[in-house]
């Protein structure tokens, strides 16, 4: 781009600001100015630190400056509405971007008002935003759905010029992305000239995201946005922890590496420690505090903590008051804290793109390498970390492909549009079909979803409570009662978490004295109801970085007091388990099958693999190794697909049914991310040798046919999946004005409806949505199908006299109880020693 064209694109005021900072506008920032100036949408793919966020906002800042500042309270100010919407997958990211954006606005004295709107925004501020909208509103997908369900949405967004979608790859791969796609379609109707900018650093299939950004109006092909890419950037400096400690054979705590982690904290200015679950975050934080002899300022951050506590941590991090933060995915995207000079990922990253995302939090500058240390929690995770490191070196990405839109989300959106005002079904269908996510939606399915929203469907239409929409004489659809809109807004969103209780810190009862329980303490955050209900008064557990004593549950709150305890429990959360990504699964298989890569592994892991090669066989990259052996009066069949826990659990259920029919007398199975073990009274080796069991037939692709249908009909998995779909679709409302249903109430309601529909309307659209969810998510059917196809004709069987070294980790999963703290580590170590002794005999 020539200097003269740059002058035309960027006003003098902005060029002076860049110069004063010692910067010059980057080519991709000017390219976005050009693309949006031509009225086009664009996807920007750029490495961390390349100035993506500034690039996304620069066209808006220039346009708002040229528009000028209207007088507050004037008709012009009220009518202009929102100029730019910024939509982020994380509340913390929206707040952080707002803080960073205020700097250039203040330094150039731009006539721009910036505000955030998330689930944490007070009600009075949300109401004010509708009456006097800011120029730039930073928000989340759920808030977009809420705003669009309001009759005032047209007035608020009719002047909308730009929508910036940050971390787009993370937005589009879930039901939140489906809901957002539908919201974007409505925003295009309200503001036909709006332009969309997608920002991402990690993209496997750019055309998927380019299609997501624009209306799909070509029936013969996909419409794509413009594409702006940025090459270069310093390669990250990633290492796997080199420790003298023994790496565990199983487990997820990485407690063996605590001293090494603490030494790394002391050696760096600011460290961000990522773990994969909130339970791990609580445990690691507490473990670090126990050995924090230097009293380093260390904080904790995850989604269940009170918003006030999270904001304090974010502000302290931004101002340089902390040396380390232990966090979950609540901080793994976009956060720009330049002083972070090290990222530690505790546990396997579960994906090359996730690792790239987290590493990018260190230095956050394009020309400086981000430094990261991977701390595997067990020996298989060493292999996964190595595969992730090699993927990072080669630039590999593994973001999931763009999904097809979910029907329960569609039902929620249709009801939301009814809350906004009367709508014509034909027009709404045409609008929905313009999204890439729902472009293949047929009219019959749409009509069935609309009928479900309106009446509940054939089996439920006689109940008034399910009648939410009605069609008037003019053909327009309207909500049946104003309370429908109120309930919709209380229940909007696609994240169905287990029911939560607030955790309130109070003064506890004094021992030996009958004193009343103190009240009125501060809220620490929320914990899942099912965990708290199994506690007795006096039990201790970790939360918000403290050891707490459970006192009682009063209404929707759990009262706790501070305590001292040697072995407090750690709250476990039903969500938050990442399946091992396909890309890393292949990388792990390659590492195992190619010993030339082993010298890069720690000695103890390399010796483990050498021992496996001596005692048994190594899994091949494209095939499947099946081991059979006797142990303690039972017979075991262990296989190594490396396709993730979800796929392995489904495979275990299906194989167990098939083995039972063959007379193998299976008793149970257990799975981790890497292997699957089935045990029983029958000897599978004998069945194989006598020809009664063929492994090729056992792993036939028809496993996903009748066997799957029969198992699903008997399992509780579909009921649980139906429960989630029922909540998202609005069939069951968890929240009502002034009250909230308990998890037990939601479960009873959804199970009753599920049984009615199965019996009287098996073709109900919500049962179809349930099956789609189970197949794509909870069962990982597509991945399982790819596995069965890959191993066809490539199954290797070996019969052993005893357990193999590679089978030890999965056998350690058998019969594990949720024991917390150091007790779990010692019990696991003792069991491992016994199994290792057998494997090495």
């Amino acid at each position: 781009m020539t200097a003269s064209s740059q002058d035309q694109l960027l006003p003098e005021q902005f060029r002076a600001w860049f110069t004063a900072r010692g910067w010059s506008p980057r080519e991709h920032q000017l390219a976005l100015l050009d693309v949006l100036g031509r009225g086009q949408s664009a996807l920007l793919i750029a490495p961390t630190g390349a100035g993506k966020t500034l690039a996304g906002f620069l066209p808006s800042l220039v346009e708002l400056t040229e528009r000028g500042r209207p007088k507050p309270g004037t008709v012009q100010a009220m009518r202009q509405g929102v100029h730019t919407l910024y939509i982020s997958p994380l509340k913390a990211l929206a707040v952080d971007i707002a803080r960073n954006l205020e700097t250039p606005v203040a330094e150039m004295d731009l006539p721009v008002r910036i505000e955030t709107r998330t689930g944490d925004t007070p009600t009075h501020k949300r109401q004010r935003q509708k009456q006097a909208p800011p120029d730039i509103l930073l928000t989340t997908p759920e808030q977009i759905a809420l705003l669009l369900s309001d009759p005032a949405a047209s007035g608020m967004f009719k002047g909308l010029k730009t929508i910036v979608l940050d971390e787009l790859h993370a937005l589009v791969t879930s039901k939140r992305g489906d809901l957002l796609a539908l919201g974007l379609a409505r925003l295009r109707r309200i503001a036909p000239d709006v332009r969309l900018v997608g920002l991402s650093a990690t993209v496997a299939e750019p055309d998927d995201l380019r299609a997501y950004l624009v209306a799909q109006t070509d029936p013969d092909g996909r419409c794509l946005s413009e594409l702006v890419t940025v090459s270069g950037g310093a390669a990250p400096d990633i290492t796997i922890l080199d420790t003298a400690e023994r790496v565990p054979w199983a487990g997820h705590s990485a407690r063996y590496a605590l001293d090494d982690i603490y030494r790394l904290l002391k050696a760096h200015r600011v460290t961000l420690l990522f773990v994969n679950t909130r339970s791990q975050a609580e445990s690691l934080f507490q473990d670090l505090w126990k050995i924090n002899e230097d009293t380093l300022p260390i904080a904790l951050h995850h989604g269940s903590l009170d918003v006030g506590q999270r904001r304090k941590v974010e502000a302290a991090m931004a101002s340089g008051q902390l040396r380390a933060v232990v966090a979950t995915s609540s901080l793994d995207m976009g956060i720009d804290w330049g002083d972070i000079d090290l990222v530690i990922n505790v546990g396997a990253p579960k994906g090359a793109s996730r690792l790239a995302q987290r590493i990018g939090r260190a230095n956050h500058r394009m020309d400086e390498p981000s430094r990261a240390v991977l701390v595997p929690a067990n020996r298989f995770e060493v292999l996964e970390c190595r595969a992730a490191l090699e993927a990072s070196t080669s630039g590999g990405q593994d973001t999931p492909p763009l999904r097809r839109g979910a029907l329960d989300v569609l039902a929620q959106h249709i009801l939301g549009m009814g809350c906004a005002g009367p709508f014509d079904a034909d027009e709404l269908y045409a609008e929905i079909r313009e999204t890439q996510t729902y472009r293949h939606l047929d009219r019959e399915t749409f009509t069935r979803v609309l009928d479900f929203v309106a009446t509940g469907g054939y089996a439920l239409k006689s109940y008034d409570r399910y009648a939410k929409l009605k069609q008037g004489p003019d053909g327009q659809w309207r909500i049946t009662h104003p309370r429908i809109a109120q309930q919709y807004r209380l229940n909007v969103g696609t994240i169905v978490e287990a029911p939560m209780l607030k955790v309130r810190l109070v003064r506890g009862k004094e021992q030996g004295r009958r004193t009343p329980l103190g009240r009125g303490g501060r809220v620490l955050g929320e914990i899942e109801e099912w965990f708290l209900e199994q506690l007795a008064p006096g039990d201790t557990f970790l939360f918000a970085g403290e050891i707490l004593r459970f006192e009682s549950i009063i209404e929707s709150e759990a009262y706790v007091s501070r305590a001292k305890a040697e072995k407090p429990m750690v709250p476990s959360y039903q969500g938050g388990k990442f399946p091992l990504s396909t890309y890393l699964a292949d990388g792990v298989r390659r590492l195992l099958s190619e010993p030339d890569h082993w010298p890069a592994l720690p000695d103890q892991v390399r010796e483990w693999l050498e021992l496996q090669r001596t005692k048994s066989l190594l899994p091949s990259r494209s095939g499947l190794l099946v081991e059979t052996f006797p142990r303690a009066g039972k017979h075991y069949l262990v296989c190594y697909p490396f396709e993730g826990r979800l796929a392995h659990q489904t495979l275990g259920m299906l194989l167990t049914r098939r083995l039972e029919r063959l007379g193998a007398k299976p008793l149970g199975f257990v799975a981790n991310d890497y292997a699957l073990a089935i045990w029983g009274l029958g000897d599978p080796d004998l069945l194989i040798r006598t020809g009664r069991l063929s492994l090729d037939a056992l792993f036939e692709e028809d496993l996903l046919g009748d066997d799957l249908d029969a198992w699903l009909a008997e399992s509780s998995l579909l009921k649980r999946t139906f429960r989630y779909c029922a909540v998202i679709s609005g069939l069951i409302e968890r929240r009502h004005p002034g009250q909230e249903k308990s998890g037990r109430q939601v479960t009873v309601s959804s199970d009753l409806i599920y049984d009615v529909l199965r019996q009287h309307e098996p073709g109900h659209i919500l049962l179809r949505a349930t099956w789609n969810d189970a197949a794509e998510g909870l069962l990982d059917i597509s991945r399982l199908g790819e596995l069965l196809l890959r191993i066809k004709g490539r199954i290797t069987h070996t019969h052993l006299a005893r357990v193999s070294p590679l089978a030890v980790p999965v056998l350690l999963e058998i019969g594990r109880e949720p024991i917390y703290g150091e007790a779990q580590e010692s019990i696991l170590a003792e069991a491992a020693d016994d199994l290792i002794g057998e494997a090495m005999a």
Side-chain angles (χ1 to χ4, degrees), residues 157-418:
F157 294 122
K158 66 182 178 182
L160 188 65
K161 302 299 183 189
T162 305
I163 302 174
V164 180
L165 303 172
D166 206 352
E167 306 294 355
L168 182 57
H169 67 281
L171 281 169
V172 303
T173 55
S174 68
K175 288 187 178 183
R176 295 181 84 200
D178 299 348
L179 187 64
L180 178 59
L182 294 167
L184 294 174
R186 173 47 55 105
L187 288 170
R188 287 192 196 98
R189 287 296 168 104
I190 295 172
D193 296 329
V194 69
R195 307 149 303 179
L196 277 73
V197 178
L199 308 177
S200 188
T202 54
V203 179
E205 297 292 340
D207 282 359
D208 283 350
L209 300 191
R210 294 171 70 191
Y212 186 91
L213 291 171
V214 295
Q216 297 301 313
T217 54
D218 182 357
D220 300 321
R222 287 206 296 185
C223 300
L224 302 177
S225 74
E226 299 277 336
L227 177 64
V228 179
T229 58
V230 181
S231 58
D237 175 11
I238 310 172
T239 57
I240 299 174
L241 181 69
D242 186 10
T243 179
E245 301 294 328
R246 175 178 131 167
V247 179
W249 291 58
H252 300 284
S253 74
R255 191 170 274 117
Y256 77 96
L258 272 176
D259 289 338
D260 294 300
I261 292 172
Y262 188 64
R263 277 194 291 273
L264 287 169
L265 299 191
K266 291 199 293 183
H268 291 82
R269 292 192 310 275
V270 183
T271 303
L272 202 48
L273 297 103
F274 281 115
V275 294
N276 286 337
T277 68
R278 288 169 283 186
S279 301
Q280 291 170 331
E282 292 281 355
S283 295
L284 179 60
F285 177 78
Q286 198 64 222
D287 288 340
L288 286 172
W289 263 115
K290 287 179 182 176
I291 62 172
N292 189 8
E293 299 172 350
D294 302 270
T295 61
L296 302 178
I298 304 173
L300 176 67
H301 193 289
H302 61 72
S304 292
L305 297 179
D306 179 64
V307 58
Q309 178 64 22
R310 282 183 274 131
R311 294 293 172 265
K312 284 181 184 175
V313 171
E314 293 159 18
M317 196 71 169
S319 61
Q321 298 175 38
L322 296 175
R323 289 288 297 275
V325 175
V326 179
T328 59
S329 56
S330 60
L331 288 182
D332 72 359
M333 285 184 286
I335 303 297
D336 180 8
W337 293 324
D339 287 337
I340 297 172
D341 56 344
L342 178 66
V343 165
I344 298 177
N345 197 94
V346 179
K350 302 300 174 191
S353 295
R354 175 174 293 277
L355 177 60
Q357 195 75 57
R358 290 180 165 182
I359 290 171
R361 300 314 107 224
N363 284 334
H364 213 275
R365 286 179 282 272
M366 184 177 173
D367 53 351
E368 293 184 25
S370 301
R371 175 142 195 264
V373 176
L374 309 183
V375 182
N378 58 57
R379 296 186 175 207
F380 267 126
E381 285 198 353
V382 172
L383 301 177
E384 191 182 336
C385 287
R386 185 69 205 174
L389 192 155
E390 293 185 4
S392 175
T393 303
S394 64
Q397 300 292 346
D398 52 8
T399 47
L402 205 62
R403 43 180 285 125
R404 285 204 174 196
L407 298 179
D408 53 345
V409 179
L410 177 61
Q412 183 181 128
H413 178 71
I414 290 173
L415 182 57
M417 295 303 93

Side-chain angles (χ1 to χ4, degrees), residues 441-656:
L441 179 72
D442 61 86
R443 181 57 197 250
E444 180 192 359
T445 301
F446 171 79
T447 301
R448 291 182 63 200
V449 175
L450 175 59
D451 178 62
F452 159 68
V453 177
T455 68
Y458 170 77
L460 301 174
K461 65 171 52 180
S462 59
Y463 298 92
D464 289 342
R465 77 181 76 169
Y466 302 118
K468 296 181 178 178
L469 293 177
K470 62 182 177 183
Q471 191 173 22
D474 59 355
Q476 300 277 303
W477 291 85
R478 295 169 172 84
I479 55 175
T480 56
H481 193 278
R483 71 168 179 274
I484 299 297
Q486 187 179 19
Q487 289 180 328
Y488 170 85
R489 292 173 188 129
L490 285 172
N491 292 276
V492 72
T494 63
I495 301 174
V496 183
E497 293 186 329
M500 310 287 275
L501 295 180
K502 284 187 171 62
V503 179
R504 188 177 292 278
L505 184 64
V506 299
R507 191 171 62 189
K509 296 178 180 178
E510 295 181 28
Q511 291 188 354
R513 295 179 60 188
R514 299 184 64 183
T515 56
L517 189 66
R519 293 193 177 219
R522 67 187 176 93
V523 173
L524 299 177
E526 295 180 324
I527 295 181
E528 290 180 8
E529 179 182 54
W530 71 271
F531 174 81
L532 291 166
E533 283 183 339
Q534 56 188 340
L535 300 181
D539 285 350
T540 57
F541 63 96
L542 295 177
F543 185 65
E546 299 194 56
I547 299 175
L548 304 172
R549 180 185 190 274
F550 175 71
E551 300 288 355
S552 66
I553 293 177
I554 299 177
E555 297 176 349
S556 62
E557 294 188 338
Y559 282 22
V560 300
S561 58
R562 288 193 174 93
K564 293 182 179 179
E566 288 297 318
K567 295 176 181 178
M569 290 184 282
V570 181
S572 54
Y573 298 84
Q574 293 175 336
K577 290 187 175 67
F578 299 115
L580 179 62
S581 78
T582 305
Y583 191 97
L584 293 186
D586 182 66
V588 171
R589 289 194 302 268
R590 183 173 57 81
L591 277 173
L592 280 167
S593 62
E594 299 176 6
D596 290 348
H597 291 265
W598 295 2
L601 300 172
D603 291 345
Q604 51 189 309
V605 175
R606 188 171 64 252
E607 291 163 5
W608 173 50
L609 299 183
E610 293 282 6
L611 190 62
Q612 172 70 15
R613 185 160 58 173
T614 302
K615 299 286 185 180
S616 178
L617 298 172
L618 288 165
S620 68
R621 183 172 182 179
S622 58
L624 180 71
L625 172 64
V626 176
E627 297 174 330
T628 55
F629 51 83
R631 183 176 189 268
K634 298 183 183 68
H635 296 275
Y636 289 79
L637 183 152
V638 180
C639 57
Y640 304 91
F642 298 97
E643 291 294 349
R645 187 182 299 265
L646 288 177
H648 293 174
Q649 286 176 336
T650 303
L651 183 61
M653 293 166 187
L654 299 177
L655 291 178
T656 301

